[in-house]
Amino acid sequence: MTDNAVTGPGGAAVQAQPNTQPPPRLPRTHTNPTIIQLLKSLPLISKLQKNKEIEDKNAERALKTLNHTQDMTAFPDAGSEAASLVTLDPEDLDRFRVPSFALSFRDYIYSSLAKWIADEEIKDPKNKRKALDDPKITSDEARIAKRRCMNGRKLTPWIVGAPWHASFPQSLFDTEGCVMVPLSFFLNENLQILNVEASTLPTVKTNPNPGETKGISILDVEKLSVRFGRELSLDFSQWTEAAGNVYLFQKERDEPNTGDAHSEWYDQHFGFYIAQKDKVRLYDAWKADELKFRQEHWACYGEFKGSRYDQAFALSEKQHAMMAEIRDMMATNKTPSGRDNGNFPKSSPNSKYPPRRSSDRPSSSSFPSGSGRSSSSPSDCLICTERGHDSRIHNDTSTAVKFKDGKATWARCTNRALVTPNNRVLCINWNVRGSNSICAHGKDERAHLCSFCGSKDHHALSWTCRPPPSN
C-alpha cells in the first residue's frame, strides 16, 4: 500500500485525493496590529519611501516567478507572493492632484502612485477639451461641433393637461452651495429666465474651497435681486408658489440612499405656515420670521423645532393685533374732510423746531397695512425719524441705526417690539399721540418715554428733540 492510499469501506484501498487548496497567504507588510498602527502613524515621506521599496521587491519577485516558469532547471525557485503597500491617507492622496505638491515628492513617487496621478489628469475636463480639439477629426464632425447642431429626434412631446414642471439649472445648485438663494428666484417666471438666459446672466467668482486652487462662478445674487425681487418683497400667493419650487429644488439635493432627510426640513418649515388658519391675514406679520428661520437653517443646518415656530407665530399675531389697534386710534384723528382735528399732537411749547404743516404730518396709518403695501401717505419711523417706513424695518438689525445727522439712535426694535437700550418696551401709541393717547396697558407694562431721546417730558412725534423729516 502506498503512502497516498487510505482504507475505504470494507477494508478496500482507496487512492487519497491530493490537496489542491493553496496554503493561506501570510502577510508581509501588515503582519500584526502593532505594525499596522505604526505604519498608519508614519509621516507621508516615510510611507512613500516604504512603498517605493516594497514595489521594487515585488518587481523582483514577479521577475523571479517568470524566470522559474520559463526554465525550472536554471531557476529552481519561484518568486514569493507580492507584499501589499502601505495605505496613504485619503487627504494626502488628494493633495497629489495639485502639480506643485506632487513635484515636491517626485523622488519618492512609485509606479502605482504615478499611474493614479496620470489617471486623475486624464479625467480633468481640460484634457477632455484637448481631445475635442484633436485635428484628426473630420470636417463634418468639426462642423457639427462648431455649429451646435441639434438632434430633432429628442424633442419632448406636449401632453395636454400636464402640469408645469419646474426645471432647475446647474447655476442654482452651484449658488446655493455658497450663498442662500432668495425665495424670489424660485418664482415660475424667474426660473424660466434662469433657464433661458443662463449663459448671459451676471455671475461672480467665489473663493476656492479647502484643497482647491480655483473658485467657481455663481449667480450674482445682489444684481439679480434687483430684477427678480428681494426677500420679503413677495405677496402671499407668490410666496406659496416659490415655496413649493424651493421644496422640489431641495429634494434634488438629497444625497443618494438618505431618503428625504435633507428636504424634509423644508417640507416641515413651509408646511407649518401653510397649515395656519390665518396665514393670509397675518402674512406681513410672520414673513420676516419665516425668512429668519430659513437663514438660520442655511447657516447652521439645524433640525426643525416646531415649538420655536409656534412661539414666533403667536408673537406675530399679537403684534398684528397691536398694530391694527394703533391704526384704528390714529384714524380717529382725521375728520371726514381729511383735515386734522384739534386732537392731533402739536409741537411742544419748548420745542426748538417749528410746528409741522398739515401736509407734513404722518398719515392715518404709521404702519403697513395687512396687504404689506404702504398707504397713500408715508409714515414716520419712531427710531430714525425717516419717512416712508415704520420701526419694524430695523427689527433685529445687525448694523447700527443712526439719525440723519449721523448720531446713533436711542431706541431699537427687537422681536418686533420698540424697546429702550435696556430692553424696556416703549408705548408706540403714546409716542405717536402724546397726552391725547388712550392706553390700555398697565402702568409698568410699556414705558411712556420719547423713542428718540428717552425723555418722559415729550413724545416722539411732538418733534421736540429731533427735527421732522423734510421729504
Side-chain angles (χ1 to χ4, degrees):
M1 183 179 294
T2 63
D3 294 337
N4 293 332
V6 296
T7 302
V14 180
Q15 188 69 22
Q17 296 295 327
N19 185 9
T20 59
Q21 295 295 328
R25 183 183 182 278
L26 297 176
R28 296 180 177 275
T29 306
H30 307 81
T31 55
N32 58 63
T34 304
I35 295 297
I36 293 174
Q37 189 59 39
L38 290 173
L39 290 173
K40 287 182 178 179
S41 61
L42 285 176
L44 176 60
I45 190 171
S46 299
K47 290 181 180 179
L48 296 175
Q49 291 173 333
K50 185 69 175 175
N51 283 345
K52 191 176 179 68
E53 178 185 340
I54 293 173
E55 273 206 349
D56 291 341
K57 292 183 178 180
N58 284 343
E60 293 176 3
R61 295 185 182 101
L63 183 59
K64 190 175 180 180
T65 300
L66 175 62
N67 293 334
H68 172 74
T69 304
Q70 292 176 337
D71 189 352
M72 295 185 180
T73 303
F75 303 95
D77 297 326
S80 59
E81 293 184 355
S84 58
L85 300 177
V86 179
T87 304
L88 300 182
D89 294 335
E91 295 81 4
D92 289 334
L93 194 59
D94 285 339
R95 292 188 181 101
F96 280 98
R97 302 175 193 268
V98 182
S100 60
F101 183 83
L103 187 62
S104 63
F105 292 95
R106 60 183 177 182
D107 294 334
Y108 306 99
I109 294 179
Y110 43 94
S111 59
S112 60
L113 178 58
K115 180 179 179 297
W116 181 88
I117 295 174
D119 290 341
E120 292 301 308
E121 289 181 358
I122 293 174
K123 296 177 184 177
D124 194 314
K126 293 180 180 179
N127 294 318
K128 290 183 180 180
R129 180 60 183 268
K130 291 178 182 178
L132 291 176
D133 296 337
D134 192 342
K136 295 181 180 179
I137 64 175
T138 65
S139 58
D140 288 339
E141 291 173 338
R143 177 184 63 82
I144 293 174
K146 292 181 178 179
R147 294 185 181 181
R148 305 292 192 269
C149 295
M150 308 294 291
N151 185 356
R153 296 177 180 177
K154 296 181 179 180
L155 290 174
T156 303
W158 286 102
I159 302 176
V160 178
W164 183 84
H165 179 70
S167 177
F168 308 107
Q170 182 60 38
S171 58
L172 268 183
F173 294 96
D174 295 337
T175 306
E176 180 72 8
C178 301
V179 296
M180 192 186 81
V181 180
L183 205 62
S184 56
F185 282 49
F186 292 92
L187 291 172
N188 292 347
E189 58 179 339
N190 292 338
L191 286 175
Q192 185 75 354
I193 293 173
L194 290 172
N195 282 289
V196 174
E197 303 180 21
S199 60
T200 60
L201 294 174
T203 59
V204 294
K205 198 81 169 180
T206 65
N207 295 324
N209 290 325
E212 298 179 355
T213 57
K214 294 182 179 180
I216 62 172
S217 294
I218 63 172
L219 296 172
D220 191 331
V221 173
E222 187 63 28
K223 288 184 179 179
L224 288 174
S225 293
V226 177
R227 181 179 181 183
F228 293 164
R230 300 186 181 277
E231 291 281 11
L232 305 182
S233 65
L234 308 182
D235 57 32
F236 180 74
S237 62
Q238 291 175 321
W239 180 90
T240 304
E241 176 185 293
N245 287 334
V246 169
Y247 170 67
L248 296 177
F249 171 75
Q250 297 298 342
K251 275 186 70 67
E252 294 190 17
R253 299 184 72 218
D254 280 312
E255 286 190 359
N257 304 319
T258 62
D260 297 334
H262 167 73
S263 58
E264 183 180 8
W265 184 92
Y266 292 89
D267 184 29
Q268 293 173 322
H269 169 80
F270 293 123
F272 171 84
Y273 292 102
I274 293 175
Q276 302 304 313
K277 182 182 69 174
D278 296 324
K279 53 183 175 291
V280 179
R281 182 175 63 88
L282 301 177
Y283 173 66
D284 286 324
W286 58 256
K287 65 180 182 180
D289 288 331
E290 185 275 326
L291 171 61
K292 183 180 73 172
F293 287 138
R294 199 158 21 95
Q295 290 173 332
E296 287 179 353
H297 176 70
W298 188 93
C300 305
Y301 209 59
E303 295 181 349
F304 179 84
K305 190 173 183 180
S307 59
R308 295 184 65 212
Y309 285 70
D310 290 330
Q311 184 180 9
F313 195 86
L315 182 62
S316 299
E317 191 170 11
K318 292 180 180 179
Q319 188 78 6
H320 179 83
M322 184 179 70
M323 293 298 104
E325 180 183 351
I326 292 174
R327 286 196 299 270
D328 291 342
M329 287 190 293
M330 294 182 68
T332 60
N333 287 319
K334 295 288 185 179
T335 62
S337 61
R339 297 182 178 180
D340 299 325
N341 60 22
N343 292 329
F344 192 89
K346 296 180 173 58
S347 178
S348 170
N350 299 324
S351 174
K352 57 183 177 181
Y353 303 106
R356 301 176 64 190
R357 302 186 304 274
S358 61
S359 60
D360 291 335
R361 291 178 180 176
S363 67
S364 60
S365 174
S366 292
F367 307 93
S369 62
S371 64
R373 302 181 182 272
S374 59
S375 60
S376 59
S377 300
S379 59
D380 296 334
C381 179
L382 293 176
I383 294 180
C384 68
T385 75
E386 292 296 317
R387 179 168 298 176
H389 64 265
D390 61 51
S391 59
R392 289 180 297 176
I393 199 173
H394 304 298
N395 184 54
D396 294 330
T397 179
S398 58
T399 57
V401 183
K402 297 182 179 181
F403 291 113
K404 206 167 186 178
D405 58 8
K407 295 182 179 179
T409 57
W410 184 76
R412 55 194 176 88
C413 186
T414 301
N415 289 330
R416 306 164 74 85
L418 188 66
V419 297
T420 66
N422 60 354
N423 290 327
R424 188 180 178 189
V425 180
L426 291 169
C427 179
I428 297 178
N429 187 23
W430 182 85
N431 269 287
V432 173
R433 304 184 64 190
S435 59
N436 293 321
S437 63
I438 302 175
C439 302
H441 60 76
K443 180 180 179 181
D444 299 325
E445 186 176 348
R446 297 175 192 166
H448 283 191
L449 299 175
C450 174
S451 60
F452 296 153
C453 67
S455 173
K456 64 179 180 180
D457 297 329
H458 60 266
H459 61 287
L461 296 193
S462 67
W463 307 108
T464 302
C465 58
R466 304 296 304 178
S470 57
N471 55 336

